[in-house]
Each structure stands twice: as structure tokens, then as C-alpha cells.
Amino acid sequence: MGTGLAILRKRWENFKQSQIQPLLSIKKELKKKSKDLKDSFVSITELPLKDQQLIYQIKECTRQKNRNNVMRTMAYYDFYCRHPEIHWAFLGHMVSRNSGWNMTDLKGELLSRLLSEKEQQDYFRFLERGNWLIFQDVYPQFLLYEESLKRQTKLFYLLPYFYVSVFMQTLWNYFWDYGDCYLLAIGLVINEQSYLEKRVIQNAFYQKTVLKTIEFKLQDILSLNQILFPCYQEDKRGFEKPPELIGQTLYHFVSLHERILLGKRLYTLLFGHSDVLKRISQWAAKHVHTGSRKDYWPHLFNDVKESVPGTSYEQQIKNCQLKPGAKRLYSPSLLHSWSNVQHEEAEVGDWFEDWKIIYYLINLKEEVDGEILHDYCKTLEKIEFAIMAQEKLFPSST
């Protein structure tokens, strides 16, 4: 009994040192920063010319790379290759790949048969707006970090000029001082999901056109809530074979709490085991993001349409394999599916209000089961059955 108590006491002391003290430090800094910003914020024209020029350069670079999902996704990856200590950059890259696949699904073999043209457009605008908003918020943070490294001094006092939350200014300063990759990555998860909450999830337009219509109409069969990470695989001869898929499913998309927890689980999947990270990194390095699901499963998807237009749909797949004589599912590239969108400026305002949000930073070190293949295969089959049912019920719509 005494030995057991000693072990528990040691674990508690380790926990306090590794997690409680950082949280207390971050809490103290957040309260201080929230007050200081209100008192000390100055016009951009009052900044040194060097800082003004840097702000302009970062905004312009962000704008250039924020034209579409393909460019954003590769910008995340390129930055991660330069700075692998910024874990969120790779997490953002892999999740953004999934956003691109969801966008092209709307024009692909399956969902284009289920959704009207207007529903496709509304759904795309919803996905695109979220993808665009996150990039224009997080990428300036990355570039400012990169410039800080070049100058060998912290430049995070400039984050307010990009309308970045005081929450992230505090986390970046902490990361610079202590190098805690986990805290920064989860801080970015919290920040980006909180940033989207009022701008997209609670936005009246998207509530009406997407969240209260399409999601509930197709909530059991849409693949929006499945995030897939392909893991590189080779056969015995050393040739690449279709990747293993791991991932997570989100069941309550409109819940900020659930989206943050999903982000933490996805982070654990990526960075919890070095061999998994290596295999996902290998796959990402070998496969440029196009938005087509052919990127990871060319045996099942093709970016060229193989089926005959205007014909009724017949089941093509079983257990994620084509049935004998079946055609591959059409999954177009993003640049052939959607034109670039001219976005309205992002709504300003800091989401940070309650310091208790930092509790999400606690690392419970839980194991995450990445098994998703069965659910993903069943999702594809459900969509096929929904298409065939709709064509029988509403034959004029085919």
C-alpha cells in the first residue's frame, strides 16, 4: 500500500510540474495581456517602418496563398517542412486535405446525385468559408514566428494587427520561451475552432442554408464528419500499395466542445506514435493534394468520369472494393470542380472571453483508436443505397 501511494504521489507531483504550473503561467499572462492590449494598442502608422512593412508583406503573402483549398493545404505542408516543431501545421495540412475531398464530393459520383445544384453551392460556400477563415487567421501567425526566428527576437506583439486573439499571443510567447510543441498545437486547435464559432457555425446564413437543412437531411450518410489520415504502405517487393486509413468521426459538428476534443484526438493520432507520424508523413510527401479522393485510393476513385451520363445508379462498391465489372467512382480534382471565391473580409473581434478555456490544454495522455475503415466503407454504401432509393421514389430527378 505504501509503495502504491508513493507512486501515485510521484505521478501527481509530475503532473503538477508538467501541466498545472504552465496553465497557471498562461492564465496569469492571459489576464495581463487582455488588460494591457486595451491600454497599449497603437495605430499601425505609429509602429516602426520595419514593422509596418512586415505586416504588409505577411498580409500579402497570406492573401496570395489563400485563393483556394489546394493552395492553402500545400502552404501548411511547406511551412511544416520548414518548421516541424509547429505540429499544428501538419495537422492543419491533413485536415485541410479532408476539407478539399469534401468539397469535390459535392461534384463527384455520389453526392451530386443526392443534392440539388443550390445545395451543392451552399454546402461548398460553407466549407470554403471555414477553410478560408482558418488560413487567414493562422498563416500570419506562422509567418510572424518565422520572421521572429530570422530576427532572433519575439515579434508576437504584432499579432493584434492581424486581428489574432490575445489567447494566441500568449501561447506563442509561452512557446518561444519554453518550446512546448503540444501546448502550442492544442492552443491553435482551441483558437481556430473558437474563431469559427460565431463567424461560421453560429452565422445565420449558414445556419439556414446548411446546418439546419443539409446536415440534418443527410446526417447519417454525409462523410463531412469523417476525417481520414492515409498511412503509407509497401508490399513485400517495396512497391507502394493503397494506404491504410486511420481517422476519427465527429458526431456533433455544431458543438464547439466536440470539435475541440476532435482536434485533440486527431493530434494524438498524428503525433502520439512516431511510426504513425512517419507513415502519414511519407504518404503526404509522395502525394500532392489535388482534392480528388484518387489521391489516396485510385483503385476506387478516378478524376475522370467513367460512368455513362444519364443512366440510373447501380451499386458499385462492397467493403471499399469495386464489384466485378463496376466503374470507379468519379472524384474530380478541386480546380476542375470549383472556381476561386472572392471572400468578404473576415469579421473582426476577439473570441477570447473566459480564461477557463485553457483547461482544454491539459494533456490526459489518452490512447486514441484510429480505426475508421469499417465506418468509412459503410458510409459509402449508405450513400449508394440513398441514391438508388431516391431514384426509385423520384424517377424524374435522375
Side-chain angles (χ1 to χ4, degrees):
M1 179 67 73
T3 302
L5 286 174
I7 292 173
L8 288 175
R9 189 176 294 114
K10 184 176 181 180
R11 287 180 178 174
W12 171 244
E13 290 301 322
N14 289 339
F15 178 84
K16 285 198 298 183
Q17 292 175 17
S18 65
Q19 300 212 50
I20 292 181
Q21 289 306 318
L23 291 186
L24 290 175
S25 175
I26 290 169
K27 172 187 171 182
K28 180 180 178 181
E29 189 64 18
L30 274 172
K31 288 186 172 183
K32 180 175 181 294
K33 278 281 188 297
S34 296
K35 181 179 183 300
D36 289 349
L37 278 179
K38 295 175 183 177
D39 298 336
S40 62
F41 188 80
V42 299
S43 168
I44 191 172
T45 57
E46 299 179 53
L47 293 172
L49 183 60
K50 191 175 183 180
D51 285 350
Q52 293 184 45
Q53 292 172 336
L54 178 60
I55 291 170
Y56 171 79
Q57 290 166 1
I58 289 177
K59 285 185 176 181
E60 181 60 21
C61 182
T62 302
R63 187 183 68 82
Q64 291 289 339
K65 294 182 183 296
N66 203 7
R67 295 178 185 178
N68 54 58
N69 168 266
V70 169
M71 296 185 71
R72 293 169 206 131
T73 305
M74 295 315 299
Y76 289 142
Y77 182 74
D78 291 342
F79 183 85
Y80 177 71
C81 290
R82 299 196 302 271
H83 303 287
E85 71 275 18
I86 309 301
H87 292 177
W88 190 97
F90 192 50
L91 175 62
H93 168 74
M94 295 306 299
V95 173
S96 192
R97 279 186 183 253
N98 280 265
S99 295
W101 295 332
N102 286 325
M103 290 175 185
T104 59
D105 283 347
L106 299 169
K107 295 292 188 181
E109 190 80 44
L110 302 179
L111 292 188
S112 64
R113 295 173 180 263
L114 280 177
L115 303 177
S116 69
E117 188 67 33
K118 182 181 183 305
E119 286 173 328
Q120 293 172 36
Q121 289 283 346
D122 288 343
Y123 204 1
F124 169 71
R125 295 292 293 224
F126 169 76
L127 294 170
E128 165 67 12
R129 182 64 174 175
N131 202 236
W132 181 88
L133 279 169
I134 287 178
F135 188 86
Q136 65 85 41
D137 180 72
V138 76
Y139 201 65
Q141 298 178 52
F142 290 170
L143 297 183
L144 204 55
Y145 168 72
E146 195 165 52
E147 186 64 23
S148 296
L149 291 176
K150 291 177 182 176
R151 298 188 190 182
Q152 297 185 329
T153 186
K154 288 190 284 190
L155 297 172
F156 306 123
Y157 62 89
L158 295 177
L159 284 173
Y161 298 93
F162 302 97
Y163 303 106
V164 173
S165 174
V166 63
F167 178 80
M168 284 316 304
Q169 184 175 345
T170 301
L171 266 292
W172 277 108
N173 280 318
Y174 188 88
F175 174 74
W176 184 273
D177 292 338
Y178 299 99
D180 193 320
C181 299
Y182 173 85
L183 279 183
L184 179 65
I186 302 307
L188 283 163
V189 167
I190 296 167
N191 179 68
E192 300 316 323
Q193 292 306 321
S194 300
Y195 182 77
L196 287 184
E197 184 67 9
K198 289 185 179 179
R199 293 169 175 84
V200 175
I201 307 301
Q202 295 181 16
N203 181 284
F205 174 77
Y206 297 118
Q207 284 273 335
K208 179 181 178 181
T209 59
V210 176
L211 296 173
K212 291 184 177 178
T213 55
I214 299 176
E215 184 193 15
F216 292 101
K217 176 180 176 183
L218 297 170
Q219 61 181 340
D220 290 329
I221 58 175
L222 279 178
S223 57
L224 167 69
N225 57 355
Q226 291 174 332
I227 306 296
L228 309 175
F229 292 164
C231 299
Y232 183 79
Q233 292 191 125
E234 290 182 349
D235 61 22
K236 293 180 179 179
R237 298 172 298 170
F239 295 112
E240 183 178 4
K241 63 180 184 178
E244 175 191 2
L245 295 184
I246 63 172
Q248 285 284 292
T249 299
L250 176 63
Y251 294 102
H252 302 287
F253 186 78
V254 296
S255 166
L256 173 61
H257 172 71
E258 292 298 331
R259 295 198 312 277
I260 291 175
L261 293 184
L262 172 70
K264 293 185 69 172
R265 294 196 301 273
L266 292 173
Y267 175 86
T268 300
L269 275 182
L270 272 181
F271 291 94
H273 298 282
S274 59
D275 59 323
V276 174
L277 176 62
K278 179 181 178 181
R279 291 172 61 209
I280 297 175
S281 299
Q282 278 182 296
W283 182 86
K286 289 177 176 290
H287 298 272
V288 174
H289 176 61
T290 71
S292 170
R293 292 189 183 271
K294 181 184 178 182
D295 290 351
Y296 63 89
W297 269 4
H299 71 281
L300 194 63
F301 299 99
N302 195 6
D303 54 4
V304 176
K305 197 170 183 65
E306 297 182 1
S307 60
V308 179
T311 57
S312 59
Y313 191 83
E314 296 182 3
Q315 187 179 3
Q316 304 290 305
I317 52 179
K318 184 69 175 177
N319 296 325
C320 284
Q321 296 294 327
L322 287 176
K323 298 179 72 175
K327 305 293 186 182
R328 285 181 294 178
L329 303 179
Y330 178 51
S331 179
S333 66
L334 186 119
L335 299 182
H336 284 91
S337 302
W338 299 103
S339 301
N340 293 349
V341 174
Q342 292 296 320
H343 286 266
E344 295 181 3
E345 289 296 314
E347 302 88 335
V348 298
D350 194 338
W351 60 266
F352 177 76
E353 296 175 348
D354 187 351
W355 67 265
K356 295 183 182 66
I357 195 83
I358 68 174
Y359 290 144
Y360 284 115
L361 294 172
I362 295 175
N363 184 2
L364 299 176
K365 299 183 179 178
E366 296 177 327
E367 285 294 320
V368 176
D369 181 8
E371 170 57 44
I372 201 169
L373 182 62
H374 176 77
D375 288 346
Y376 178 54
C377 295
K378 290 302 178 185
T379 292
L380 293 176
E381 291 176 21
K382 283 182 181 180
I383 298 175
E384 286 195 310
F385 290 138
I387 292 169
M388 292 184 287
Q390 178 171 285
E391 288 182 350
K392 286 184 178 180
L393 290 171
F394 308 101
S396 61
S397 65
T398 61

